[in-house]
Amino acid sequence: MFANARSLVRLGSGRYAVAAARPFSTVPINRVARVTRMALDGEEDVAAKVENQLVDFQKQLAGPNGPKGYVKTNRYLCKGEWVYELSLVFDSLENFKSYLESDFKKTVADPMQEEMLKSAKPGSWYEGARVYDEF
């Protein structure tokens, strides 16, 4: 509807003015997580297959050739909906960006992702980045 994503504020005269966009500078970025989510194309057997793939991937992440700044992996599995989620946590935005451009991602993580995609329902794969904190 509008050419930009800013909000319009109505002025007393009936005119509208564009409100300034608020930057997210008040939220510090300490750790960053790569979040992946998919609905499994099956149940227990498919979940076990994905789990085995993740165990192998985890060993490589934590190994001596793993990405700089990698902290840990969190895994979630909903056995009611058969949804698999995982997050790779990095100690800084810089190390996360470095991981995205790394040989490790190209030679280890991307092929692992392709294998995991074979276990996902079509169209269910989601991947994104999050500011990560523990309270």
Side-chain angles (χ1 to χ4, degrees):
M1 180 174 187
F2 298 109
N4 59 39
R6 296 180 184 169
S7 298
L8 293 179
V9 177
R10 186 172 183 169
L11 302 175
S13 64
R15 295 176 300 149
Y16 288 87
V18 177
R22 288 183 55 190
F24 291 100
S25 62
T26 59
V27 178
I29 300 174
N30 297 314
R31 291 182 175 181
V32 178
R34 164 61 87 200
V35 176
T36 304
R37 182 180 196 275
M38 67 176 174
L40 297 177
D41 194 15
E43 294 185 357
E44 194 77 35
D45 57 330
V46 177
K49 178 182 173 185
V50 172
E51 192 75 7
N52 288 335
Q53 291 169 336
L54 182 59
V55 168
D56 291 341
F57 182 53
Q58 176 63 32
K59 289 176 185 175
Q60 294 179 55
L61 282 165
N65 297 321
K68 180 181 176 187
Y70 167 76
V71 176
K72 64 181 177 178
T73 300
N74 296 318
R75 187 265 293 155
Y76 307 94
L77 173 63
C78 176
K79 292 181 95 175
E81 298 175 2
W82 295 103
V83 173
Y84 202 93
E85 302 172 336
L86 67 99
S87 58
L88 306 179
V89 180
F90 292 85
D91 65 359
S92 69
L93 179 59
E94 293 75 27
N95 281 334
F96 172 71
K97 288 179 178 179
S98 177
Y99 162 74
L100 293 178
E101 301 297 322
S102 70
D103 288 339
F104 181 89
K105 183 169 184 319
K106 293 173 189 148
T107 61
V108 178
D110 288 349
M112 186 275 311
Q113 178 178 325
E114 289 299 318
E115 283 301 310
M116 288 182 76
L117 274 168
K118 294 176 184 176
S119 299
K121 287 184 180 176
S124 71
W125 185 270
Y126 168 81
E127 192 171 49
R130 302 285 185 274
V131 174
Y132 180 89
D133 288 300
E134 294 178 3
F135 298 99

